[in-house]
Amino acid sequence: MTDASAEGDEAPIDTGVDALSDADAAALADLRTAADYQFGAGAGDALFPPDELLTLRRSSGGRPRQVIVGDVDDTPGSSEGARLVSYGTDGRFTLGVAGGRRIQAAFAAPRHRVVVGEESEPFVRDGRNAFAKFVSAADDGIRPGDEVLVVDDDDALFAVGRAELSGAEAEAFASGAAVSVRNGVASEDDANAGE
């Protein structure tokens, strides 16, 4: 379905080639390009697969705001879908847990990852920040402000958030927040339920 909802702020994108309007195809191509730029080559296709139905929520001015899995709307009682990303006015994505899982699957460790010890797991999963004191490893390519995945030594996803320190600083510092957690993953069962 490619028609906008009655409210006019959502446009489900059926990413099947035959069903895309020109505007939706262009928006999706732009979002893929932005994801490749921010996360690396292949991220756009990983986040927004060509064969998947996605909903693109737009601002009142028509700018992409969120990309959600499935054909969802704002009608009370309708399913919300899993948020892949939000698209900021600065042109950068912020990851939802579903988007974090896709980035995790697309890029091998340690890319985009901050590894924390088991002592901080329950706190990070609950949405609290990951502190440098508990970081055991981090991608050297992480810069402050980057979107990152907070994982354990076995690459189990605990949370997604924004790096407050570079990868090297997160490993070296003994205090301070390494990652400002946006969304924690309650448990492995909950995290896999959205797939």
Side-chain angles (χ1 to χ4, degrees):
M1 181 173 153
T2 57
D3 296 328
S5 68
E7 291 80 28
D9 65 347
E10 288 184 13
I13 298 176
D14 180 350
T15 57
V17 176
D18 295 335
L20 283 176
S21 72
D22 290 340
D24 289 344
L28 189 58
D30 288 347
L31 291 173
R32 282 189 180 128
T33 300
D36 285 346
Y37 178 78
Q38 182 174 340
F39 297 107
D45 285 333
L47 283 169
F48 318 120
D51 59 347
E52 185 171 24
L53 181 66
L54 302 172
T55 298
L56 179 61
R57 289 188 174 160
R58 296 178 180 270
S59 68
S60 60
R63 182 185 60 78
R65 192 170 32 114
Q66 289 185 334
V67 180
I68 301 169
V69 177
D71 182 5
V72 299
D73 60 32
D74 287 331
T75 305
S78 66
S79 70
E80 293 183 18
R83 182 178 68 87
L84 292 171
V85 296
S86 294
Y87 192 59
T89 56
D90 61 356
R92 293 177 52 94
F93 290 107
T94 57
L95 292 171
V97 172
R101 288 223 169 270
R102 291 183 182 194
I103 292 294
Q104 182 181 31
F107 296 98
R111 191 104 184 261
H112 303 296
R113 291 164 174 81
V114 174
V115 180
V116 296
E118 63 184 40
E119 61 276 359
S120 62
E121 175 183 356
F123 303 104
V124 173
R125 282 188 183 275
D126 195 37
R128 294 190 174 95
N129 293 340
F131 287 90
K133 175 179 181 177
F134 302 108
V135 172
S136 60
D139 177 3
D140 288 336
I142 293 173
R143 299 167 300 178
D146 283 353
E147 287 294 301
V148 296
L149 313 173
V150 182
V151 299
D152 68 3
D153 290 323
D154 296 325
D155 206 32
L157 184 64
F158 292 167
V160 294
R162 184 186 67 242
E164 297 296 328
L165 303 170
S166 71
E169 291 169 338
E171 289 182 77
F173 287 9
S175 64
V179 179
S180 177
V181 170
R182 183 173 305 101
N183 298 109
V185 178
S187 71
E188 284 300 316
D189 293 336
D190 292 343
N192 291 326
E195 296 297 307

